[in-house]
Amino acid sequence: MLDSLENSEENMNKRFLQINSDLIAYQNAAHAKGFLLQCYQMQGLSNAEEAAYTNCTRFVYSLEHGDLYLNQAFQSPLAIQPALAFYGLSHYIKACLLTVDADYPATVQVLAHGLSARKRKKQNYSFLQDEVRTQRYGLFTHFSNKMFHVEHLEGTKLKMNALLKQVPELSSIFSFQSGKAPFEKVQQKDENYAIPIQLLDDYQMTEHRFSEFLEAKTMGRVNVIEADKHLIYLKPLSLSLSPPFRFHFFTNEWVFSKSKESEAFYPELLIYYSLLYNLSMIARYETEWWYDLLKHAPGKEYSLIKYFTEVSIQKIPLLIAQFLHTQKNKPSNNESQ
């Protein structure tokens, strides 16, 4: 595990620059206007030309501001990385929202974070046992709905340990600490994908029940095709937008979550936003606990938090680039009918 972590860190700088270059392509006023116009026309907006012109500059600047925060986080000590990464992600998301919501922000209600952290006890606090609660209004609720069609999240408690287990790059740490990997590797079989039949044991389901459950939880985005003695064959509409499929940034492999909890079906940007929000709040307002963690590295939380923060700085631009690419290649309303 340690060798894999060291190898991944050696490639971080190269990967970071490469992935950020994918976002730079959108940071040209003329290209951005054309891209937004295409998005709005595909949505059938009657004022697509005007909306693209109005939002073009804000779209470009939001991406650029996100770049600045993430680049600064990349060069900063861990103590302030979560706050920088969180605000970088927030600005990226605001740019993405403009591709699906031409009127964003229509009200001041959507400008809040959209999450709240519970009051922490000074003693015996555990980040892994902590949680954040979703709010009725705010950025989190708004982008979950507009970008990923995830609704009815108000009042939901998001648990840090469950969210961290949905980050594929942390799988080796969880395996090392508990002996159990949170993911199964995905095998490509022609146009379909396959996972080991033993996953049914993790889900505690029969093949038929698993098929029904998966189709319901993914709203038809992932379907079971067939199964044999060793593998379950799946057909996702789009891997990048179909949790519980997730992409391992360092091994360049698709994996499938072993969890059947709600967190396994959240898009990865929701997971990063929730975790970084809580870590940034801790870094800003719970400095005593935060610096005790950083200086003394007690327990298993330190390695998870440290590596998650490093991974987030690397992977967020990739996830944003994936979303924008999907918007660019989405069929129009007429074509999809």
Side-chain angles (χ1 to χ4, degrees), residues 211-282:
S211 177
E212 291 182 333
F213 174 80
L214 196 59
E215 184 174 353
K217 294 291 287 187
T218 65
M219 294 182 291
R221 291 192 299 269
V222 181
N223 295 283
V224 174
I225 304 301
E226 60 178 328
D228 56 31
K229 293 182 179 180
H230 305 288
L231 298 171
I232 303 172
Y233 296 89
L234 306 171
K235 188 174 184 63
L237 294 181
S238 168
L239 278 181
S240 61
L241 298 178
S242 300
F245 284 99
R246 302 201 188 278
F247 182 71
H248 195 301
F249 182 65
F250 297 121
T251 63
N252 293 320
E253 294 177 318
W254 287 98
V255 294
F256 193 93
S257 177
K258 292 182 178 180
S259 171
K260 61 180 179 181
E261 302 303 321
S262 297
E263 290 85 356
F265 298 91
Y266 290 154
E268 218 161 334
L269 284 175
L270 275 69
I271 293 170
Y272 277 93
Y273 187 93
S274 303
L275 287 165
L276 287 173
Y277 165 79
N278 204 16
L279 284 173
S280 68
M281 294 292 284
I282 292 171

Side-chain angles (χ1 to χ4, degrees), residues 164-225:
L164 285 169
K165 285 185 176 179
Q166 292 307 312
V167 179
E169 294 76 15
L170 301 185
S171 180
S172 56
I173 297 181
F174 278 109
S175 297
F176 181 79
Q177 292 180 348
S178 66
K180 298 179 180 179
F183 295 93
E184 288 283 4
K185 290 184 179 180
V186 174
Q187 304 176 40
Q188 186 168 0
K189 298 290 184 179
D190 298 323
E191 295 182 356
N192 299 321
Y193 298 85
I195 53 177
I197 194 74
Q198 287 81 6
L199 193 90
L200 295 179
D201 295 333
D202 295 293
Y203 276 68
Q204 296 182 321
M205 294 180 184
T206 63
E207 178 191 332
H208 179 69
R209 176 70 187 104
F210 176 73
S211 177
E212 291 182 333
F213 174 80
L214 196 59
E215 184 174 353
K217 294 291 287 187
T218 65
M219 294 182 291
R221 291 192 299 269
V222 181
N223 295 283
V224 174
I225 304 301

Side-chain angles (χ1 to χ4, degrees), residues 15 54 88 100 117 155 159 229 267 270 278 281 293 297 307 329:
R15 286 175 176 268
T54 300
V100 295
K159 299 176 182 179
K229 293 182 179 180
L270 275 69
N278 204 16
M281 294 292 284
L293 176 79
Y307 198 54
N329 293 280

